[in-house]
Amino acid sequence: MKVLISGGAGFIGSHLVDRFLNEGAKVIVVDNLITGLKSNIAAHFNNKDFEFINQDVCESLPTKDKVDLILHLASPASPFDYLKYPIETMRTASIGTFNMLELARKNGARFLLASTSEVYGDPQIHPQTEKYWGNVNPVGPRSVYDEGKRFAEALTAGFYRKYKLPVVIIRIFNTYGPRMRPGDGRVIPTFINQALRNEPISIFGDGNQTRSFCYVDDMVEGICRASQVNHSQPINLGNPREYTILQLAEIVKNLCQSTSQYKFLPLPQDDPQKRKPDITKAKKLLQWEPKIELEQGLKNVIEWFKKENQSILHKR
Ligand SMILES: NC(=O)c1ccc[n+]([C@@H]2O[C@H](COP(=O)([O-])OP(=O)(O)OC[C@H]3O[C@@H](n4cnc5c(N)ncnc54)[C@H](O)[C@@H]3O)[C@@H](O)[C@H]2O)c1
């Protein structure tokens, strides 16, 4: 099987690359490295089953060989990144998704769209089921990402209706693990790096807003299973265990044996108050649910950041 992974040099994408290569597939990564890192995939550069195309998905993509499956993950994903690259984010969600869908159509390939829980915006129902249409500010700062992904979902559904293209849309809830960038602004790498340096941990608002965190190995398993089913409607993938941001900060602080204090900052505009996936559909359709507890996952990431920070110090 030949798999094309757009955004394969990023955090989740690079774990998918490892997984598909391990299972004997041939893998092509298309990534312009806007938020990804070559080092995430460097281990495969000498592998004959692996090809890296350093390219923007907004440019059209002639591939030499036929592909069987396209996993479309390319997109800035952290609020820090998509606020820095608002137009690039919207171009990627629209033109980039169109190009990937066209490529799937020409190849007769299956197509998986990595969408997001952000399509629910600041949700008015809790937990969020796939039937909920969301509460998104269409012109707020986050809209470049939220509305971009909503457009990408609509386009994917359109290709299914018009061309019967085999598509699946997954709505990923907060996922964490090794290879997140320390400065990407997402809560787990930020807290861990602040705690490891005993610097103040920055909490937005009063810290009572909630999130649910899924370890990347669980997410990769969910994505692999989703890529094999015939289901053209969205599927939530995430860990339904819900924590307040303050609880998360406390757990990270303890695991890092840190003396950090908390620094409370204003809540960003349109920040969701609650986030928790209803994964009934994923359980039924994919026989999937997350297995890795938050404490265990965090320990892995803390160890990974410690090693990364050491190797940066050595290189200096
Ligand atoms: N990590 C999460 O918690 C989370 C949650 C919801 C949805 N997602 C979705 O999963 C996908 C991967 O997220 P991630 O956390 O790995 O982010 P990431 O930023 O680490 O990876 C995204 C990758 O896409 C690449 N990219 C972006 N725009 C591109 C373009 N125009 N052309 C080619 N490559 C491009 C980047 O260089 C990067 O390697 C994204 O689509 C994101 O929206 C992630």
Side-chain angles (χ1 to χ4, degrees):
M1 179 165 79
K2 194 156 216 171
V3 188
L4 186 150
I5 305 181
S6 77
F11 157 52
I12 300 179
S14 64
H15 287 277
L16 282 164
V17 171
D18 296 349
R19 168 76 180 252
F20 276 94
L21 284 171
N22 275 341
E23 289 187 352
K26 293 184 190 308
V27 174
I28 305 172
V29 163
V30 181
D31 199 305
N32 64 356
L33 302 176
I34 188 171
T35 59
L37 295 170
K38 245 184 184 175
S39 57
N40 286 341
I41 47 172
H44 306 304
F45 284 161
N46 291 327
N47 185 338
K48 64 174 178 22
D49 291 334
F50 178 76
E51 184 185 353
F52 172 50
I53 304 175
N54 186 342
Q55 195 184 307
D56 190 327
V57 289
C58 300
E59 291 160 33
S60 71
L61 257 181
T63 53
K64 286 174 287 182
D65 308 308
K66 193 177 171 307
V67 293
D68 306 295
L69 171 66
I70 295 180
L71 305 176
H72 179 40
L73 282 91
S75 169
S78 84
F80 176 85
D81 289 335
Y82 60 71
L83 294 176
K84 185 170 167 195
Y85 300 113
I87 307 306
E88 292 86 343
T89 301
M90 292 223 78
R91 276 175 54 83
T92 304
S94 51
I95 302 167
T97 302
F98 175 79
N99 284 341
M100 289 292 113
L101 281 161
E102 274 293 307
L103 191 69
R105 190 165 75 90
K106 283 179 195 147
N107 278 268
R110 300 174 71 80
F111 178 88
L112 177 140
L113 172 70
S115 186
T116 169
S117 57
E118 292 284 329
V119 299
Y120 300 123
D122 188 6
Q124 312 272 288
I125 68 147
H126 194 71
Q128 292 81 54
T129 69
E130 292 87 348
K131 288 204 174 102
Y132 179 51
W133 290 353
N135 175 38
V136 174
N137 175 353
V139 290
R142 302 173 79 99
S143 63
V144 291
Y145 183 66
D146 302 5
E147 294 290 15
K149 289 287 185 179
R150 288 165 70 97
F151 178 88
E153 286 197 7
L155 193 60
T156 303
F159 266 71
Y160 168 72
R161 276 192 212 100
K162 179 152 181 175
Y163 302 117
K164 295 285 164 279
L165 187 74
V167 301
V168 63
I169 297 168
I170 51 159
R171 292 184 177 153
I172 302 176
F173 284 66
N174 286 44
T175 300
Y176 70 100
R179 299 188 192 152
M180 296 185 92
R181 290 171 10 247
D184 83 356
R186 291 189 263 201
V187 65
I188 287 186
T190 304
F191 282 7
I192 290 178
N193 281 286
Q194 289 171 331
L196 287 176
R197 295 190 193 110
N198 293 313
E199 288 169 2
I201 294 180
S202 38
I203 312 259
F204 291 110
D206 60 10
N208 285 317
Q209 67 274 36
T210 67
R211 297 290 185 273
S212 311
F213 302 101
C214 185
Y215 190 65
V216 66
D217 291 359
D218 282 330
M219 183 54 61
V220 163
E221 182 62 36
I223 294 175
C224 288
R225 289 183 189 213
S227 71
Q228 290 159 22
V229 292
N230 286 323
H231 186 75
S232 59
Q233 295 297 306
I235 307 171
N236 285 341
L237 290 181
N239 192 322
R241 276 201 67 185
E242 192 181 9
Y243 294 84
T244 68
I245 293 299
L246 268 180
Q247 284 172 326
L248 173 72
E250 202 58 29
I251 298 169
V252 169
K253 225 179 106 165
N254 287 338
L255 291 174
C256 294
Q257 298 176 317
S258 170
T259 57
S260 292
Q261 304 289 308
Y262 296 141
K263 177 175 69 179
F264 290 89
L265 300 168
L267 207 56
Q269 188 184 335
D270 302 328
D271 196 55
Q273 273 307 298
K274 286 177 170 218
R275 261 306 152 66
K276 170 177 163 149
D278 180 318
I279 59 164
T280 311
K281 199 193 237 189
K283 279 185 182 167
K284 206 166 148 193
L285 212 65
L286 313 176
Q287 288 78 52
W288 173 87
E289 64 183 311
K291 294 197 165 53
I292 297 159
E293 294 295 338
L294 183 65
E295 278 80 356
Q296 183 53 53
L298 286 174
K299 279 184 195 164
N300 298 350
V301 190
I302 291 166
E303 283 315 305
W304 185 80
F305 272 121
K306 280 183 182 167
K307 279 195 200 128
E308 280 293 288
N309 293 344
Q310 278 299 327
S311 78
I312 290 167
L313 280 178
H314 281 308
K315 279 180 203 151
R316 276 190 188 149

